[in-house]
Amino acid sequence: MSGDPVAVPAGPGGRSLGSRVTGALYAVGAYALWGFLPLYFVLLEPTGPWEVVAWRILLSLVFYAVLIPLAGGWARLRAILRRPRLLGWTAVAGVLIYLNWQLFVVATLSGHVIQMSLGYFINPIVTVMLGVLVLRERLRPMQWLAVGLAILATLVIVVGYGAFPWLALGVAFSFGFYGLVKKRIGPAVDVTSGLTLESLWLAPLAVGQLVVVALTTGLTFGTSGPGHAALLAMAGVVTAAPLMLFAAGARRVLLVVLGIAQFITPTMQLVIGVVILDEPMPGERWIGFGIVWLALIVFTTDAVIAARRRATEVAPDTPIRQE
């Protein structure tokens, strides 16, 4: 961007107000696109979940292969290829995101969108639990309360509904571990290079899945009309676009903003499951979801309080307005 610098008010983290607003819009756009994904995958029927995920991997790889030279990313990618440890972590990340994608599509195409939304509602709390168990982080009292409420909600759903929400927990834990791996990699791997390598590691698996599907039920790409083929061909863009928006937003806004915005996705998925796809929502599920929402209120309140406290500690001379 060229032009004379313009003085704008800076917010937390030194970001200008305009940058933070733009980042928030990017983040909201990413979570909204993820929220619409169940409808996209339903439109892909009669394509099954194994074929959908295989095309999603391969077409994403094609998208990134086109994007990297346009973004001048070959140098960054070559630097990562010279570091075996980083390559290994991208392979682990690829396996975890594959599990997440496969569970996501299986849940969507088997009529379990509501259960999948539960997984994304509890994902922030699962991430906190993994931080305690894996990274030996300490939880604040309100975070412990949120974790306890999430466990209670799962028990209510299991006992009242009579089924273990394995899809929800699988989605939550696979994405939670994926986040841990990405945190371990840190800034050493940029977004585009990381996603490219993850897709590259998964490409042989995707080809194998397509071969198995072709030999069993048969591939649907190109056999269900041009409209269906066009939708399936968009799988790479549909996968990459929200990830790119999220990465752009994450660089511009505070973590607490991302933490609150992420509830857009499961809320949209819950509405889609109940209103559009007409999935059953018995009383036990409503009670379980109610406890989860209470846990999220506690969790988010604690995050906001902690963020304000950190901001005060960073700028101790800044006067604090009394509410």
Side-chain angles (χ1 to χ4, degrees):
M1 182 184 301
S2 61
D4 296 327
V6 179
V8 292
R15 295 290 185 183
S16 69
L17 177 60
S19 176
R20 286 183 285 128
V21 170
T22 301
L25 291 175
Y26 282 144
V28 169
Y31 287 121
L33 287 175
W34 278 324
F36 277 117
L37 274 184
L39 289 179
Y40 170 74
F41 290 131
V42 168
L43 289 174
L44 294 181
E45 291 180 331
T47 307
W50 302 100
E51 184 181 353
V52 167
V53 172
W55 287 123
R56 191 178 182 184
I57 293 168
L58 295 176
L59 293 173
S60 296
L61 181 59
V62 172
F63 179 84
Y64 297 134
V66 172
L67 183 63
I68 280 185
L70 294 177
W74 285 121
R76 294 190 297 269
L77 187 60
R78 285 194 296 268
I80 297 169
L81 291 174
R82 290 193 290 267
R83 301 175 65 179
R85 177 180 166 276
L86 282 181
L87 278 178
W89 280 117
T90 61
V92 174
V95 170
L96 290 168
I97 201 62
Y98 166 80
L99 291 173
N100 183 265
W101 287 357
Q102 196 66 71
L103 289 170
F104 187 105
V105 180
V106 166
T108 299
L109 298 183
S110 62
H112 293 93
V113 172
I114 292 175
Q115 188 181 153
M116 182 178 61
S117 74
L118 173 64
Y120 284 108
F121 271 123
I122 66 175
N123 175 252
I125 299 173
V126 167
T127 300
V128 168
M129 291 174 59
L130 291 176
V132 173
L133 297 174
V134 179
L135 302 179
R136 305 299 181 187
E137 295 178 350
R138 287 187 175 184
L139 294 188
R140 296 182 291 272
M142 290 181 68
Q143 290 177 316
W144 276 118
L145 176 59
V147 169
L149 288 171
I151 294 172
L152 176 61
T154 302
L155 292 175
V156 167
I157 292 173
V158 170
V159 174
Y161 186 58
F164 188 77
W166 69 272
L167 284 171
L169 294 178
V171 164
F173 275 91
S174 61
F175 201 72
F177 276 110
Y178 178 74
L180 280 180
V181 171
K182 297 295 255 186
K183 182 176 181 179
R184 189 175 184 94
I185 293 173
V189 178
D190 64 282
V191 175
T192 305
S193 297
L195 295 174
T196 301
L197 290 170
E198 291 164 22
S199 300
L200 188 62
W201 285 115
L202 295 176
L205 177 61
V207 172
Q209 282 190 194
L210 290 179
V211 170
V212 172
V213 171
L215 295 176
T216 53
T217 58
L219 296 175
T220 62
F221 201 144
T223 65
S224 300
H228 177 273
L231 282 173
L232 195 51
M234 289 173 58
V237 176
V238 169
T239 298
L243 287 170
M244 295 296 178
L245 286 173
F246 175 79
R251 289 195 296 267
R252 292 171 171 85
V253 299
L254 294 174
L255 189 60
V256 68
V257 175
L258 290 177
I260 295 172
Q262 69 182 318
F263 300 129
I264 293 172
T265 297
T267 300
M268 291 178 63
Q269 292 169 352
L270 177 62
V271 171
I272 288 171
V274 174
V275 177
I276 299 178
L277 302 180
D278 199 27
E279 292 185 14
M281 191 68 174
E284 296 85 356
R285 281 190 177 184
W286 283 116
I287 294 172
F289 269 83
I291 299 174
V292 168
W293 293 329
L294 178 59
L296 293 176
I297 291 172
V298 173
F299 181 83
T300 304
T301 301
D302 175 78
V304 172
I305 293 173
R308 287 184 174 180
R309 185 179 298 121
R310 285 193 296 270
T312 303
E313 291 172 353
V314 170
D317 297 330
T318 302
I320 300 175
R321 180 170 59 90
Q322 299 297 324
E323 299 294 335

